[in-house]
Every structure is written in structure tokens, then in C-alpha cells.
Amino acid sequence: MFSNGGVPVFNLAPNLTVSRLCLGTMTFGEQNTLTESFHLLDEAFHAGINFFDSAEMYPVPQRAETCGLSEEYLGRWIKHRNIPRDRLVIATKVAGPSGQMTWIRGGPKSLDATNIIQAIDNSLLRMQLDYIDLYQIHWPDRYVPMFGETEYDPDRQYSSISVDEQLEALGKAVKAGKIRYVGLSNETPYGLMKFIQVAQKFDSYPKMISLQNSYSLLCRTFDSAMAECCHHESIGLLAYSPLAMGILSGKYLSPPGNGPPDARLNLFKGKYLEGESRYSLSNKAIHAATREYLDVAKTYGLHPVSLAIAFVLQHPLVASVVFGATKSWQLQEVINACKIKLTSEVIEEINKIHSRFPNPCP
């Protein structure tokens, strides 16, 4: 199925059809001005993208002065352009526990019912909306290895809010008409299955319909345990960082050196530690794997962005690819990529590289 503009669509839930490209808004209010954000949203919408993802803590790198601007810009665009609300799928997220971000509800100590309800109300106000289509828990309340960590350390566990309390709060928001569906983000197989198990207790507890985790040529960790959970439980993957923060576009490896000065990893050097630690080209495996994927693209006459995005889109469990763009031409490259179908030869080449450099950006 295709939307009006030629971007394929996916039925994420009953009465929730999303474009298989989802424009992430985390640059709005930092790298992008209000006017630039409006232009990008206009172009995406006219190309057939109906799915837009934000978060209460955006833009990144997160700071008190800009917090909430991404949601605000998105809401202002909907209002100014007078777009019928049912033509859009708006997703946003509640921030998990964070001692650093004191400007979000005092730096939430936990993701309890009070924090969840307050966050929903604040997001609705910022976006000037009556309801949110998909409301996601940005990261778990409990300790989990995250943002590049891969090994679980039992000693780091702390007492966390029960899944019951979180689902009860989300259920009340669904009943009140504030949110339609719920999803998880940066979750583990245990976390996903726990939410599904607890949701079966009461009819008032909503069932998770989506999982927003990273997935790209450089990060296929989803394909082990998580893929099985999503397949059996009919959970759609919203794949974020499909270009591994721009690395797979090749821009950071192009001469004369480390890519354009306004590229995110250059612009915010030292200020965006989650991104820098996870997507560092000084890591030899990341550098070598990226070079090889760029060579595959060249050999088969594909744009590197087309190769990276088409690879994620061909995954049967991927509902939509969540991508960011700060410039019109970047947006266009991603839109063009959804017209590309990779041949079995290209997939074979990709898998050979993956077996030599498995998941260098977990």
C-alpha cells in the first residue's frame, strides 16, 4: 500500500495507518529554526509522510533553554497549516528517570503515574493538540544497558516503578481521550514481554503496539531475541538511527576530512555524549564496516542513503523508519530511498560485512 505521495504505508494498529517513513523532530529548535522546521514538515507531508515523532525532552543536545521546542514547533505547524488532524499520526515520548535534566519536572526521579500524567498534559499543551496518537516511554524506569551498553550488570539494579502503575496511568489517559495508543522505546525483550504480560490483567491496561529501538546496517541487535518477541506479539518496530547518526551517508568519511562542520557529530562535539560514544568513527570496527557498506553502494550504483534506508525498510517487522533531516536535500534522499528495492546479491554482500563486523554500534 502507498500513501498519496508514493511513500509506502503500514497498519500499525486498527485505525492507525502510518507512512513507512517517519520524520523525527529532534533537531527542531536547535539545528533548525521554526521557519526551517516548517519547510521540512511541509515537504515531508506533501511527499506522503503522515507520521511525525517527537519527545518532551527534544531538541538534542538537551538543555533547559530549548527543552520542549520540538513539540512546540510541530504543534505550531499543524495549527498554521490547518491540517485536518486525522491526516496526521503524531507520536511523542515521556522522559524516563534523569538526574541530569532537572528542567523536566525537577529531573524525574522515576516514571510514576504522576510524572506520566503531567508529561502527557504538558505535551498536549505545547503541541496545542487534543490528543496524541502514539505515546511512548522514551526509556525504561528500571536499570537496563542502554545507548551503546550491551551487558547487563545485576548490581546496578535499583527499585523501580511497577509496570502496573505505569499501565494504569497510561490507561487512564487513553480513557480520557488524551492518547490513542502506547509504545515503548529503548526497551529489552524482558521489558517488552513484561508490559505485554501485565497488560493482560485488566481491560483498562493498554497493550503496547510499537517498539522504537535503533536498527541500521551497523546495529542489528534487534534481530536476536527482540525480533521473536515482536513477531509473536504483533509489535511493529519503529527503527531509529537508520543512518547511524549520519555515518552511513558517508559524509564523515568524505575528503578533506571529518565531514561538514554543521554535521551533528562535529557541531556538538563534546556536548552529545550518548551519540558520540555510540557512533564514533575512531572505533576501528565502525570505520571499517562503514567503508565497506559505502563500497557496496558504489559497486551497485546506489546512493549510500538509499542502501541504508532500503535495508531497514526491507525488514518484515519494521513498521516505519524514524529519521532526521536538517536540510531539504537530506529529506529528499531518504524519500527517494523508499523507492529502492535491494536485490538478493546486495543483501548477500551486506550480510558478509555484517558477519565480519557484527553490530559495531549497538
Side-chain angles (χ1 to χ4, degrees), residues 257-275:
N258 305 319
D262 64 346
R264 203 182 328 159
L265 290 172
N266 294 331
L267 195 60
F268 301 122
K269 217 173 179 61
K271 293 179 188 164
Y272 190 29
L273 299 178
E274 302 106 90

Side-chain angles (χ1 to χ4, degrees), residues 26 241-248 251-252 264-265 272 274-276 279:
M26 73 179 193
S241 285
L243 296 172
M245 211 173 268
I247 287 176
L248 289 166
K251 66 183 175 186
Y252 292 103
R264 203 182 328 159
L265 290 172
Y272 190 29
E274 302 106 90
E276 287 173 46
Y279 302 107

